[in-house]
Amino acid sequence: MKRCILLGCLLMVAGSIVSQSNYWQQQVNYKIDVELDEQSNRYTGRVKLVYQNNSPDTLRQAFFHLYNNAFQPGSMMDLRSRTIADPDRRVGDRIAGLSPTEIGYLHVKNLKQDGKASKATELETILQVALDHPIVPKGSTTFEMEFEGQSPLQIRRSGRDNREGIRYSMSQWYPKISEYDQHGWHANPYVGREFHGVWGTFEVNITLSSIYMIAATGVLQNADQVGFGYEKQGEKVKKKEGSKLLWNWKAENVHDFVWAADPDYKHVVRQMADGPTLHFFYQPGDETKDWENLPAYTEKAFREMNRRFGVYPYPSFSVIQGGDGGMEYPMATLVTGNRSFESLLGVTVHEMIHSWYQGVLATDESIFPWMDEGFTSFAESEVMAVLLELDPDEDPHSGAYAGYYSLVQAGLQEALTTHADHYKTNRAYGVNSYGKGEITLSQLAYVVGKEVLERSLRRYFQEWKFKHPTVTDFKRCVEKESGLELDWYFEYWINTNEVVDYAIGQVVDGGNATYLELRRKGNMPMPIEVLVTYVGGRKQLLYLPLGLMYGDKKEFANSAVRTELAPWPWTHPSYVVELNAPKSTIESIEIEPSKRMADVDRSNNVFAPAKLVPGPGK
């Protein structure tokens, strides 16, 4: 585990160090000063970055992200958007039409390593730095640089003057060092997907016209000099005279920093009694009532997440009107606000939950987008069902299944192991990352039991917070909680496009017995539950464990009398069950009635003997 400079950071992660003593990760500490000119939309700044190499490797080069350079005609993002089969409609060909005053850019000047000039090469959205002296294992180095940038016309996530009139959504705005881990450097060009970063401390000074209110990652350090609702109740604000105002922010143990600014923001604060301070920033208007109702629901969502998935570890969280839809950042989110209340609540809850999976667990979203978006979508569906008081008998994840089935039917499947930027279609990326990722957990609840899955998710959060867990790390948490072997599940579901498809075959009357044939038509094996309903209402649940599990689950959603049968070997395409009852006494037979198993063809999952219907005049 990384070595934190501040004692508070060390205590925050100490519990995880013991369980994974061989784990290491890098550490950064940023000090950034930036000034934005609202007339030209350009900004200049200085960065002092202390980089701690906790790896066993000697580093001879380094990489920085220059995200704003994507918003220029001819960039990788521009060309990708204009050549992919189904471009993101927010982008389309808009980058190609940007004028010189509308483009984005970010350039580094006067880069020094430990006081000496370093050679750097700008490769569009990546800066490659040749290190004059390598960074040895357990060593550290200090990078100092000046930078200049231009905030682009709002197109994707970052920019100025979005469609709702928010002046600045400043995300991906500074030179950000790439992550280096056991797999090497992660210098992914910015083509359109999401992000990866190194945990550390950010101290950021932002200078801007005094008419602007700023919302940001972290905690404002000079609230008494700024005001705008940040000051403590009854505290007298001592604003400095002048047309400019300096805002001093600090955030600990985060891997990114976002800020937004607008002269018309309204700032609402809601302090949770046993949780973070919640901040809400929005432009008053037609949707004001919805924003006024949002804080109470957001607090309830935090409480539900803390109870079920792990406790949010930061002192504050800000919901900020801005951006182009909804996007998560440490301790904050940018959301568009001109929408119905249910939509506003949904996007807020989704982006807030990212604080657990993108903010605190922070898997590499380029390689494992489904572990962030999918896990977030799963928790969102569960939490929204509580907030909206939905019927507990309704499946909150049904939408994810419908999207996945539609993708399979269209023949557009791609494996979940596909790099986020390399999907052939945006549709496949979206359905996989959000829908199939959500189903990963919902279907896993069917395999191991809902309570076991919930324990597994809490264990996963506790053991891997402030690290960058992989698929194996999560799998092992579930295996430890369930006592089952789950390699098969992740190998098929994550690494392949194989589908789950089971069917009822022949149902043969054997006199005092009935012989039921079950068929596996898809290549992905699963444990199977079959509900048999007899005339008169008696129900029997047949449970066929999968041999590869080397065990069976103990928790079942169906309350019918359960009969456990011998495991179904994955090599066998069919399985015959003997029922101790005549066929005439069977009202229906259904494979997996809870529908949590993602069977792509349910038309053959039910057997119901035809009933004689009297004809006319009888």
Side-chain angles (χ1 to χ4, degrees), residues 456-511:
S456 301
L457 286 167
R458 287 192 291 271
R459 179 173 188 157
Y460 174 55
F461 183 82
Q462 185 61 33
E463 289 188 2
W464 288 99
K465 59 186 178 182
F466 303 111
K467 302 181 181 181
H468 297 295
T470 66
V471 181
T472 299
D473 300 320
F474 173 67
K475 177 182 76 74
R476 291 297 295 134
C477 288
V478 186
E479 287 181 331
K480 290 172 184 176
E481 288 295 331
S482 67
L484 301 174
E485 293 298 310
L486 297 170
D487 285 355
W488 61 274
Y489 181 76
F490 289 88
E491 287 167 0
Y492 275 96
W493 189 252
I494 306 303
N495 298 339
T496 78
N497 286 331
E498 303 295 355
V499 298
V500 178
D501 186 9
Y502 282 83
I504 293 175
Q506 298 183 69
V507 181
V508 178
D509 191 349

Side-chain angles (χ1 to χ4, degrees), residues 435-618:
K436 192 174 180 181
E438 180 174 351
I439 295 169
T440 301
L441 299 185
S442 179
Q443 185 171 242
L444 198 52
Y446 162 71
V447 174
V448 302
K450 189 174 188 294
E451 292 182 5
V452 170
L453 177 65
E454 290 193 348
R455 292 201 309 269
S456 301
L457 286 167
R458 287 192 291 271
R459 179 173 188 157
Y460 174 55
F461 183 82
Q462 185 61 33
E463 289 188 2
W464 288 99
K465 59 186 178 182
F466 303 111
K467 302 181 181 181
H468 297 295
T470 66
V471 181
T472 299
D473 300 320
F474 173 67
K475 177 182 76 74
R476 291 297 295 134
C477 288
V478 186
E479 287 181 331
K480 290 172 184 176
E481 288 295 331
S482 67
L484 301 174
E485 293 298 310
L486 297 170
D487 285 355
W488 61 274
Y489 181 76
F490 289 88
E491 287 167 0
Y492 275 96
W493 189 252
I494 306 303
N495 298 339
T496 78
N497 286 331
E498 303 295 355
V499 298
V500 178
D501 186 9
Y502 282 83
I504 293 175
Q506 298 183 69
V507 181
V508 178
D509 191 349
N512 292 326
T514 301
Y515 297 93
L516 166 65
E517 180 194 25
L518 301 172
R519 296 174 181 171
R520 178 171 55 80
K521 301 179 68 176
N523 287 328
M524 180 170 174
M526 288 286 284
I528 297 299
E529 295 178 18
V530 181
L531 182 65
V532 182
T533 303
Y534 296 93
V535 174
R538 182 172 69 89
K539 295 180 183 295
Q540 179 184 19
L541 185 70
L542 309 175
Y543 176 56
L544 291 71
L546 180 66
L548 293 171
M549 295 167 61
Y550 294 99
D552 55 10
K553 71 174 181 180
K554 308 299 185 226
E555 173 201 342
F556 292 83
N558 198 294
S559 60
V561 175
R562 179 166 61 93
T563 301
E564 183 170 330
L565 304 175
W568 186 338
W570 72 270
T571 54
H572 293 32
S574 64
Y575 190 113
V576 176
V577 178
E578 180 180 349
L579 301 174
N580 296 320
K583 184 178 178 180
S584 60
T585 65
I586 295 175
E587 184 174 290
S588 67
I589 302 172
E590 182 176 3
I591 296 175
E592 211 285 280
S594 76
K595 297 180 174 57
R596 291 176 297 172
M597 185 175 76
D599 192 314
V600 297
D601 181 8
R602 291 191 172 273
S603 66
N604 49 27
N605 286 24
V606 177
F607 168 79
K611 295 182 179 180
L612 294 177
V613 179
K618 294 293 181 81

